[in-house]
Amino acid sequence: MKAPRAMFGAGRMARWTSVCAGLALSGCVGSSFNLATQRQEYTITSTEKEVEVGRRVARRIEDEVTILADETLQQRVRDLGQRLVAVCDRRELVYHFTVIEDEDVNAFSLPGGYVFVNDGLVKKASGDDELAGVLAHEVAHVAARHAVKRYESSLGIQIVQLATLAARQGRTAAGASIAMQAAQLAYARQDELDADRLAVKYLQAAGFDARAMLTFLEKLRELDRDEPHYLPRGVVRPQYALTHPYVPERLLA
């Protein structure tokens, strides 16, 4: 199920996962302190590899979408984005901000600092503060390396499946896969809430009105009411099966 007009999330994870799978990771486990999450983290994906992945996927996306021709608007988004980059927790990257010609109210980020915003979202935002809130959320995803960690956790699922199948424990493999995928979904929802909190921090540090996050989320809640949240026969889709929390949950957070 598509996240409900997600602000602003990793809804295009599937688009770049296939590309990531074709790239050779270093295979070496590294450890570093993540300033965004305030945790010591272990990863098999170096910053250099992350940037390479992001660059390749960004090129592929740019081949498939229409980049907005309005250079004034593009520059406005770039300027807002760079104000946030200057105060974010991960400044060693070169961030790229691009507006796509698409009426859907959405935005997304890729590994390595690539941020895309639909012009439909830009139109929906009331002023620079609300638009900066969107960009801050996406910068937060990059700073916290959410996309990379989700990809690495998906590799973990494949390893468990292969190991249990090799031991001829097919049912165990299926059960482990379901359990781990459920944990991944919960992890993704938590990523969105964490990105919201980091976005507020970056907005305040960059001199924007952080309350604009709330006003834009309220707009998303209105849009969300038009989105179907029901399975066949009127069964409500359980929230644990969503990759994004509902907008009301994000407002409460």
Side-chain angles (χ1 to χ4, degrees), residues 4 50 55 66 69 76 88 114 138 145 147 165 169 198 206 222 232 250:
E50 178 187 353
R55 181 170 56 249
T66 301
R76 175 192 170 200
C88 79
Y114 293 84
E138 297 305 330
R145 302 184 90 239
L165 284 171
Q169 297 175 346
L198 283 171
E222 292 300 318
R250 297 175 70 180

Side-chain angles (χ1 to χ4, degrees), residues 35-130:
L35 291 173
T37 62
Q38 291 294 298
R39 291 192 297 267
Q40 190 74 18
E41 296 178 347
Y42 297 88
T43 179
I44 61 173
T45 309
S46 66
T47 297
E48 291 76 14
K49 180 60 65 177
E50 178 187 353
V51 171
E52 179 186 352
V53 169
R55 181 170 56 249
R56 292 196 188 189
V57 179
R59 288 174 180 171
R60 180 172 175 177
I61 289 173
E62 289 169 358
D63 287 341
E64 297 178 6
V65 302
T66 301
I67 305 301
L68 191 69
D70 186 343
E71 180 56 29
T72 299
L73 182 54
Q74 294 282 3
Q75 189 61 51
R76 175 192 170 200
V77 170
R78 287 195 292 265
D79 289 344
L80 293 175
Q82 292 305 324
R83 283 178 60 181
L84 295 161
V85 168
V87 298
C88 79
D89 292 303
R90 199 174 178 203
R91 306 176 199 174
E92 76 275 16
L93 299 175
V94 177
Y95 289 77
H96 306 266
F97 299 88
T98 305
V99 183
I100 295 173
E101 193 174 302
D102 190 325
E103 287 301 313
D104 194 20
V105 180
N106 205 0
F108 61 96
S109 55
L110 301 175
Y114 293 84
V115 177
F116 292 86
V117 185
N118 291 355
D119 67 333
L121 187 148
V122 176
K123 294 172 185 176
K124 192 68 177 177
S126 300
D128 286 352
D129 290 316
E130 286 192 355

Side-chain angles (χ1 to χ4, degrees), residues 3 21 25-26 61-62 96 120 128 133 156 159 165 190 195 233 239 243:
L25 299 180
S26 65
I61 289 173
E62 289 169 358
H96 306 266
D128 286 352
I159 291 170
L165 284 171
Q190 187 59 49
R233 300 181 182 178
Q239 191 172 3
T243 57

Side-chain angles (χ1 to χ4, degrees), residues 192-210:
E192 294 302 316
L193 297 175
D194 289 345
D196 284 344
R197 284 188 284 269
L198 283 171
V200 170
K201 170 185 169 183
Y202 298 161
L203 286 169
Q204 292 173 333
F208 294 105
D209 185 356

